[in-house]
Amino acid sequence: MPGLTPPECPRYIAPPPTRLDLEFADLAIIDLSKAHTPEGRAELAAQLRDALRTNGFVYAINHGYTQTQRDRVFDIADVPFTAVPPEEMKIYTANIDKVGYYAGYKGRQYWKVDAENGVLDQIEHYGLNRIVTKCPHPQALRPFLPELDAFARHNHFNILHPILRLIALSLELPEETLVEKHSFDRHGETSGMFMKYYRRTDEEEEKSKNVWLKGHTDIGSVTILWSQPISGLQILSPDGKWKWVRHIDNALVINTGDMMDFFTGGFYKPTIHRVVQPPVDQNACDRLGAFYFTMADDDVRLLPLAHSPLLQRVGIERRCPDEEAPLSEVWRKGRTTTYGRSELKKGSERDVEEEVIEGIVVKHYN
């Protein structure tokens, strides 16, 4: 990370991983160091294709940051929640309903977790556009902007773009096909995000059946989560069971979202996941997360890559007619402004609620 003597920052000390024998998902691990050669990319593309088609989540290792650099990211990630006074937080709170993106703070009790029982979320997060100087930041975070800029660029160029090249290869397309839709400098809302999940009352846990964030799919193309030891993330596995995601030191947890579903005509479906109360040996801890949520540039229309030889063979599953396909910006705003806020209707499937965004059904899973 930049600078020989970075500014001082209190250490964030996470608890050890759970010792409980939970039902963990069996996720593939891809080694990004192999992506530097054509032969390595061909091997990884096949591995990534199988992983995304099976569980939708995959670990990535050897991504270019050391354990020390990763730990420094989490030190900085805690700053917005521990070093900024409440009155200053209000100044930098996002007007999500108006702007349609997460920049600055989202306060606690903003999303409905269980509307029927009146349970709201206890999640605070701080979002930074990948162009970290696009929006102003609280005083305590400003000394770390050079490091946050380096973090955003590392996620974008050393993780996101290699993953997009592998996905393009898996579709038998030129490597830069998806990279060209996810630039760093063009207008869009690919962003870093720090999230703090706070402990809830026993009453809230009982009412919501220990669910902190109900089952959902991500808005964008690819989500990059920096693995951390407090368990809570679960994926809906192919056998219909919710399974825990295991922590691996200095690994990334990667999944695809709605926009990749659009681009690949349903070949890579958005991964259904949720967050629940940590296991009993960790449930006295607040949970800190570091993410990089990626989206196509705002002016990209979310059309299937119909020239893909693979998609031509297996068939394209469109979510809407091509002439009605939304722009990335329109989809992002529609999903962001309604998520956790709109009144959901019961779907035809068990434990599924639905809403309609731009004429397209979006499902939420209880």
Side-chain angles (χ1 to χ4, degrees):
M1 301 180 85
L4 297 176
T5 54
E8 291 186 7
C9 184
R11 289 300 315 277
Y12 169 75
I13 306 298
T18 180
R19 296 179 180 178
L20 300 187
D21 184 20
L22 304 176
E23 189 171 9
F24 288 106
D26 184 17
L27 303 182
I29 301 174
I30 63 170
D31 184 348
L32 285 180
S33 68
K34 295 181 178 180
H36 298 302
T37 67
E39 297 79 12
R41 290 194 293 277
E43 176 189 340
L44 291 179
Q47 187 182 6
L48 183 63
R49 177 198 62 217
D50 293 344
L52 293 180
R53 293 275 288 173
T54 304
N55 285 307
F57 270 71
V58 64
Y59 294 109
I61 61 172
N62 295 327
H63 45 71
Y65 262 24
T66 65
Q67 182 71 44
T68 298
Q69 288 174 303
R70 176 263 178 213
D71 292 347
R72 174 71 175 180
V73 168
F74 276 79
D75 293 345
I76 298 172
D78 206 29
V79 169
F81 312 113
T82 58
V84 180
E87 58 272 18
E88 191 179 7
M89 285 184 177
K90 292 178 182 178
I91 297 172
Y92 295 97
T93 295
N95 189 345
I96 300 166
D97 289 337
K98 180 178 179 180
V99 300
Y101 56 84
Y102 300 114
Y105 288 99
K106 179 206 78 70
R108 295 154 73 170
Q109 299 191 319
Y110 181 80
W111 292 325
K112 302 171 187 174
V113 175
D114 187 333
E116 185 175 336
N117 291 304
V119 179
L120 301 176
D121 77 280
Q122 293 291 350
I123 304 166
E124 197 167 51
H125 65 58
Y126 189 84
L128 307 92
N129 186 277
R130 65 191 181 280
I131 309 296
V132 298
T133 55
K134 179 179 177 180
C135 297
H137 302 284
Q139 181 68 40
L141 205 58
R142 293 172 199 169
F144 306 106
L145 289 181
E147 292 175 270
L148 292 170
D149 174 67
F151 180 66
R153 292 176 184 275
H154 180 73
N155 277 279
H156 206 92
F157 294 113
N158 299 332
I159 301 168
L160 171 63
H161 280 183
I163 292 292
L164 293 177
R165 292 186 182 103
L166 297 178
I167 292 175
L169 285 173
S170 77
L171 300 173
E172 301 170 15
L173 290 169
E175 290 189 15
E176 300 303 304
T177 300
L178 286 164
V179 169
E180 292 168 353
K181 300 179 185 295
H182 298 77
S183 65
F184 191 83
D185 298 319
R186 288 170 61 190
H187 197 273
E189 289 302 327
T190 289
S191 301
M193 184 82 73
F194 301 138
M195 302 181 73
K196 194 83 170 273
Y197 296 75
Y198 292 93
R199 289 158 285 177
R200 305 192 310 184
T201 65
D202 292 341
E203 182 182 5
E204 288 175 318
E205 296 291 2
E206 182 179 358
K207 285 182 176 179
S208 65
K209 299 181 175 64
N210 305 114
V211 173
W212 285 12
L213 201 59
K214 68 173 62 177
H216 64 282
T217 60
D218 289 339
I219 298 169
S221 303
V222 173
T223 298
I224 301 166
L225 179 157
W226 289 71
S227 187
Q228 55 79 43
I230 302 179
S231 297
L233 176 62
Q234 293 182 335
I235 67 170
L236 188 59
S237 62
D239 61 7
K241 296 180 180 178
W242 291 104
K243 295 186 178 180
W244 298 80
V245 174
R246 188 190 305 272
H247 169 62
I248 297 178
D249 284 343
N250 200 27
L252 309 172
V253 181
I254 292 174
N255 67 280
T256 53
D258 293 344
M259 291 186 185
M260 193 60 69
D261 184 37
F262 281 110
F263 288 138
T264 66
F267 189 75
Y268 293 127
K269 295 188 182 300
T271 313
I272 302 164
H273 55 287
R274 69 179 185 179
V275 178
V276 299
Q277 183 186 34
V280 293
D281 58 345
Q282 295 182 318
N283 65 10
C285 306
D286 296 327
R287 185 172 179 269
L288 181 66
F291 303 79
Y292 194 68
F293 289 105
T294 78
M295 305 183 194
D297 301 332
D298 273 357
D299 61 357
V300 170
R301 194 163 294 279
L302 302 178
L303 288 165
L305 298 166
H307 57 300
S308 159
L310 182 141
L311 296 184
Q312 290 174 3
R313 291 197 303 274
V314 303
I316 293 175
E317 190 179 299
R318 288 173 166 82
R319 297 185 71 171
C320 62
D322 285 356
E323 61 272 16
E324 297 176 12
L327 291 173
S328 172
E329 179 183 22
V330 172
W331 183 254
R332 181 249 304 162
K333 287 183 175 179
R335 288 283 331 258
T336 303
T337 55
T338 61
Y339 180 79
R341 307 283 283 176
S342 62
E343 297 296 327
L344 304 177
K345 297 181 179 179
K346 288 188 176 181
S348 56
E349 303 168 62
R350 181 183 176 187
D351 296 330
V352 173
E353 297 171 306
E354 297 178 349
E355 61 179 331
V356 177
I357 307 293
E358 295 300 312
I360 298 167
V361 175
V362 174
K363 297 180 179 181
H364 302 263
Y365 301 81
N366 290 320

